[in-house]
Amino acid sequence: MSSPPSGPASPDRSACPDGGAAATPAATATSTATAGPAAAAGPDAAAGPHPDEARPAGYRAVFAVPEFRCVFAAHLLSSLGVVVCELALSVLVFERTASPLLSALTFALGLLPYVIGGTLLSAVADRYPARRVLVGCDVLCALAAAGMVAPGAPVAVLLVLRCVIAAIAPVFAGTRAATLGEILGEGELFVLGRSVIRLVNQSAQLAGFGAGGLLLVAVAPRGVLALTAGTFLGSALLLRLGTLARPARDRARGPGRGALLGASLDGGRRLLADRRVRALLLLTWLPPAFVVIPEALLVAYGGLLGVGPAGMGLLMCSMPVGAVVAEAVAGSFLSPHARARLTFPMGLFAVLPSLGFAAQPSLGWALLLLVLTGTGISYNFGVDRWFVDAVPERLLGQAMTVMQAGRMTAMGLAMGLAGAAAEVAPLRVVMPAAGVVGAGCVLVVIREVRRTAPGRPAGAVRAGGTGACGPAGPLPGTEN
C-alpha cells in the first residue's frame, strides 16, 4: 500500500461516501509535507526516501493551520487541568482520610477507567460530529471537577467523579486524534500534529505538578479544583469557537446502525480482527506498559538510595524530559523516512535502559537511564502514520479511542503488577525484569508488524484503505 498524500483528499479515503473533510487552511500547508511509500511501509521499504522527504515539514507548518492552533491551546488547558486536578484531589483526599492508599487511588483511577470509555463508548467518536463530542466531553469534565468542590462531598463521591473524568478521556482523545486527520490531512502534518499532542502531554506532567504544587501553597485544594473546572470550560470554548463543524464520520442511519454500546463493542471486534490493525495496536500498547514499570517504582527506588525530596523530584521528571527532547528533535530535524526507519529500533530501545537498574545505580546514573528511556517515545511517529493508513475512515475515531484506552489500561495494569512484584522481589530484580520481558514481547510484535506490512505476500492482509466502506462484519482481508 502506498501512503496517501498529506492533504485531506487521500485517494484511498475519498472512495468512501462519507470520507474526506471540507477544504481547510491545511490544504495549502500540507502541500509542503510529504508521505512517500517508505514512510508507510516502514523500515522494510526498498526504495529510498521521496526527494521531498529530505526536507521535513517541521512544527512550523503544523502551527500555520489556524484551526490546529485552537486544538493545541485547548489541549494544553485540559491537560494542565487533568494533572492539577489529580494533584489537588490527592491532597484533598489525604486531608480528609489520612490514608495513603486512598490518596494514591486518585492517581490509579486516572488510568484504569480508560478501559470503560475505550470499549463501551468508543463509537461516540465516529457516530456524532467531532466538535460536538469534544465540547461535550470538556463540559462533562468541568461538571465533574466542579462537583469535587462541593463542601462535605464524601470521599467515595470524589473518587467516582475522578473515574468519570478518566472514562471520558479516551473518547475525547480518540475524537481529537481523528479530527486532526480532517484538519491537517492524513500525511506528514497529521504525524507532526500527533507529536505536538504528545509533547503537550509530557510537558503538562512537568508544568502541571509544579504549578499545582505552587497553587496548593496559596490556595486550598477545593479552590484549585475550581480552577481546573475553569480550564475544562476554557478548552470547550476554544474548541467551539475555533474549530469547524464537520459531519460525523459514520453517518449510517436505520436499524442496521445498532445501539451505541453494541456499535462500540462490534467496532472494537472488527478492529482487532484485522491482523494489521491488531499488530499496530499491540505496538502502541506494549512498549509504554514496560516503560512505566521502573517509573512506577521510582519512589521505592529513591527511598532505597536515600535521596531527599529534591532527588525524588529529579527522578520523577527525568523520563518526561527525555521524551520531550527526543520528540522535539525527531519532529524538527528528521525526515519522515528517517523517522519511519527509527520506529522499530526506538520501540525496542525504550524498554532496554531498565536493564541498568540491575546494578542498583546511583542517583546520577539512574537519572541517565530514565532520560534514555523517555527518548523511546519517538517510535510513535512511524506507528501513527501506519495506523491511520490501516484503519477504515468510518472507524478512525473509534480506532484512536481504542488505541488510547488500551495504552493507558496496559500502563495502569503494568504499574499494579510492578508494585505487587516489588512486594516479593528486590527492586534490582523487578526493574530490569521489565526490560528482559519487554524486549522479548516487543520483538515478537515487531515481527508481526513487519509480516503484515503493505506489499508483503501475506494475502490475508488488506492493502490500503480499499474496502473500508464495506458492510458491517470483519474487515476485508482480515484474519479471524
Side-chain angles (χ1 to χ4, degrees):
M1 175 188 65
S2 61
S3 300
S6 39
S10 171
D12 61 352
R13 301 286 193 192
S14 60
C16 300
D18 59 345
T24 69
T28 301
T30 53
S31 63
T32 62
T34 57
D44 295 326
H50 188 279
D52 289 341
E53 287 190 340
R55 303 189 303 273
Y59 294 115
R60 182 178 299 179
V62 177
F63 282 101
V65 182
E67 200 173 356
F68 177 79
R69 294 199 295 268
C70 289
V71 173
F72 166 78
H75 181 54
L76 182 60
L77 274 177
S78 60
S79 296
L80 288 173
V82 168
V83 174
V84 173
C85 176
E86 285 182 341
L87 181 59
L89 184 60
S90 179
V91 172
L92 178 61
V93 169
F94 187 76
E95 287 181 354
R96 295 276 302 278
T97 66
S99 168
L101 173 61
L102 290 176
S103 179
L105 268 178
T106 63
F107 291 99
L109 291 176
L111 293 177
L112 297 182
Y114 266 73
V115 71
I116 299 174
T119 56
L120 304 184
L121 302 174
S122 59
V124 170
D126 294 313
R127 179 169 287 197
Y128 302 100
R131 187 174 71 177
R132 187 186 306 171
V133 173
L134 294 174
V135 172
C137 287
D138 268 334
V139 170
L140 288 175
C141 288
L143 291 174
M148 298 174 186
V149 181
V155 171
V157 172
L158 297 177
L159 296 179
V160 167
L161 291 173
R162 180 67 190 95
C163 285
V164 169
I165 294 176
I168 292 171
V171 178
F172 182 90
T175 305
R176 182 190 55 223
T179 301
L180 289 182
E182 297 172 332
I183 294 174
L184 300 173
E186 294 172 0
E188 170 64 0
L189 289 195
F190 171 82
V191 174
L192 290 173
R194 289 274 292 162
S195 172
V196 170
I197 297 299
R198 288 193 296 270
L199 283 170
V200 170
N201 291 338
Q202 297 295 328
S203 301
Q205 291 187 42
L206 299 173
F209 282 121
L214 292 175
L215 281 172
L216 287 169
V217 171
V219 184
R222 282 194 177 86
V224 176
L225 289 170
L227 289 175
T228 65
T231 64
F232 288 123
L233 289 176
S235 174
L237 186 63
L238 282 168
L239 292 170
R240 177 62 182 81
L241 300 179
T243 60
L244 298 177
R246 294 180 173 87
R249 276 172 293 275
D250 183 1
R251 289 180 280 178
R253 293 290 185 268
R257 192 184 195 202
L260 178 62
L261 176 59
S264 297
L265 294 175
D266 181 63
R269 284 193 294 267
R270 293 175 62 197
L271 289 168
L272 292 175
D274 186 303
R275 184 179 174 187
R276 173 70 172 169
V277 173
R278 186 170 64 242
L280 290 171
L281 282 173
L282 288 172
L283 189 57
T284 66
W285 294 345
L286 287 181
F290 289 102
V291 160
V292 298
I293 289 177
E295 187 177 29
L297 300 175
L298 285 182
V299 172
Y301 190 76
L304 184 66
L305 294 181
V307 301
M312 196 71 71
L314 288 173
L315 287 171
M316 299 299 291
C317 291
S318 296
M319 200 177 292
V321 167
V324 169
V325 172
E327 187 89 25
V329 169
S332 299
F333 300 109
L334 298 183
S335 70
H337 181 68
R339 291 197 297 262
R341 293 188 66 84
L342 283 175
T343 300
F344 294 154
M346 294 307 295
L348 177 61
F349 175 76
V351 304
L352 296 180
S354 61
L355 296 174
F357 284 96
Q360 195 171 316
S362 62
L363 177 61
W365 286 108
L367 293 176
L368 177 60
L369 290 174
L370 292 168
V371 170
L372 290 175
T373 301
T375 62
I377 195 174
S378 56
Y379 91 102
N380 284 290
F381 281 102
V383 181
D384 278 346
R385 181 59 182 275
W386 304 337
F387 189 72
V388 78
D389 285 344
V391 172
E393 170 69 18
R394 65 188 297 265
L395 291 178
L396 182 57
Q398 187 168 4
M400 289 295 185
T401 302
V402 171
M403 175 199 281
Q404 179 73 358
R407 179 188 292 126
M408 300 302 286
T409 302
M411 290 167 63
L413 291 174
M415 287 180 175
L417 291 174
E423 290 288 333
V424 297
L427 294 176
R428 67 176 183 274
V429 173
V430 176
M431 297 172 84
V436 174
V437 178
C441 291
V442 171
L443 284 172
V444 170
V445 173
I446 286 175
R447 180 172 178 267
E448 180 66 5
V449 173
R450 286 183 182 275
R451 292 180 65 182
T452 59
R456 287 298 183 110
V461 180
R462 166 171 64 92
T466 57
C469 300
L475 303 178
T478 59
E479 293 185 355
N480 296 286

